[in-house]
Amino acid sequence: GAINLGKPNFLDRIVGSRYGMSGGYLVIDPRHQLFVTATDKGRILQPIPAQGINALHDKYMQGYEGHGVAVNSRGVEELSAAKGIPAAGWFLVTVLPTAEAFAPIQAMQQRMLAATIFLTLLIGGITWWATSWMLRRQLSPMLSAARTLVAQSDSNLAPQPLPVARPDELGELIGGFNRLLNVLSQREEALRESEALFRAVSESAHDAIVTADSSGMIVKWNRGAETVFGYPANEVVGQP
């Protein structure tokens, strides 16, 4: 008897449906080096690929029952698994292109990558906002003190103590500045009193008192100098 395997037969129950969207089945006869039948009808009773083209297929031909990934004779990377059929001396191979087999994993990886990027940006933004808020809160007394100093420097009023907002390190720094400002104010007041006393003594003295700067120009000329030298102050001040 003869069976035309190209026509409907009992093997159609095996290869009549696809595995997944693009996968399928192959029934191979290793003794005659033929595809007995296949989901792809174009392979029925066609010779199998030569040895060395597909290393995994070569293992199946040697009786290996297992699975693996390899590039087939048509240049498509496939995930395949083989199981022997001892009664016929054949073996059945199930194949599925890796593009379809690993598509869920790749999609999950892309979703994980997108989620990772989103969470990284979100955490980075929250960290930047929290850090900025903390820095503004911590440095607000210093910024307020700097603005107060700028305002005082732009005015003709005497410097005033800076407000101490918190009793922390910045508060101690501003307090130290206030103490320094107080000492400088006291010294400036003492200097003004000393200059006023010097002017009073100089103006009331009968002796000639002449004051010159470092370049030798006259800056002060008291009444005693006017009497001794006979020149009024407005004629000699600013002269060498």
Side-chain angles (χ1 to χ4, degrees):
I3 297 176
N4 185 349
L5 296 178
K7 294 182 178 181
N9 59 76
F10 70 99
L11 295 176
D12 289 344
R13 297 180 59 184
I14 300 176
V15 298
S17 61
R18 289 189 174 276
Y19 184 76
M21 298 296 295
S22 56
Y25 302 91
L26 301 165
V27 178
I28 298 175
D29 181 359
R31 289 176 299 176
H32 296 90
Q33 303 286 305
L34 291 175
F35 291 110
V36 178
T37 188
T39 301
D40 181 1
K41 298 299 183 180
R43 286 188 169 184
I44 295 176
L45 294 180
Q46 295 298 313
I48 63 175
Q51 187 174 4
I53 295 178
N54 187 333
L56 187 59
H57 171 75
D58 295 341
K59 291 179 63 176
Y60 294 154
M61 293 290 291
Q62 296 169 7
Y64 172 69
E65 293 185 345
H67 61 275
V69 176
V71 177
N72 65 15
S73 59
R74 298 179 176 180
V76 179
E77 186 180 60
E78 294 178 329
L79 175 64
S80 63
K83 181 66 178 178
I85 306 174
W90 299 343
F91 63 90
L92 173 68
V93 179
T94 305
V95 297
L96 182 66
T98 55
E100 178 181 348
F102 300 141
I105 298 177
Q106 295 173 350
M108 181 179 64
Q109 289 176 337
Q110 292 177 353
R111 289 193 297 269
M112 291 178 61
L113 177 61
T116 301
I117 294 174
F118 172 76
L119 290 176
T120 300
L121 294 175
L122 179 62
I123 293 174
I126 293 175
T127 302
W128 175 83
W129 177 84
T131 303
S132 300
W133 178 80
M134 291 179 63
L135 288 176
R136 286 196 301 268
R137 183 176 180 274
Q138 292 295 327
L139 297 179
S140 58
M142 183 65 71
L143 295 176
S144 177
R147 295 190 185 100
T148 303
L149 288 175
V150 171
Q152 291 186 9
S153 64
D154 293 339
S155 66
N156 295 325
L157 300 177
Q160 300 297 321
L162 300 176
V164 179
R166 298 195 304 260
D168 55 6
E169 291 83 357
L170 290 178
E172 293 180 2
L173 177 62
I174 295 175
F177 176 80
N178 288 338
R179 290 190 293 272
L180 177 61
L181 181 62
N182 185 39
V183 171
L184 292 177
S185 298
Q186 292 177 356
R187 292 181 178 178
E188 185 178 359
E189 182 64 26
L191 181 60
R192 285 197 297 268
E193 293 177 355
S194 176
E195 290 180 347
L197 179 61
F198 174 77
R199 284 195 300 270
V201 172
S202 176
E203 291 299 326
S204 61
H206 297 288
D207 294 328
I209 300 177
V210 179
T211 304
D213 59 16
S214 58
S215 62
M217 305 299 290
I218 297 175
V219 294
K220 289 184 180 180
W221 184 272
N222 71 338
R223 295 178 182 176
E226 291 180 350
T227 303
V228 172
F229 297 109
Y231 293 99
N234 58 358
E235 294 183 3
V236 294
V237 171
Q239 300 298 324

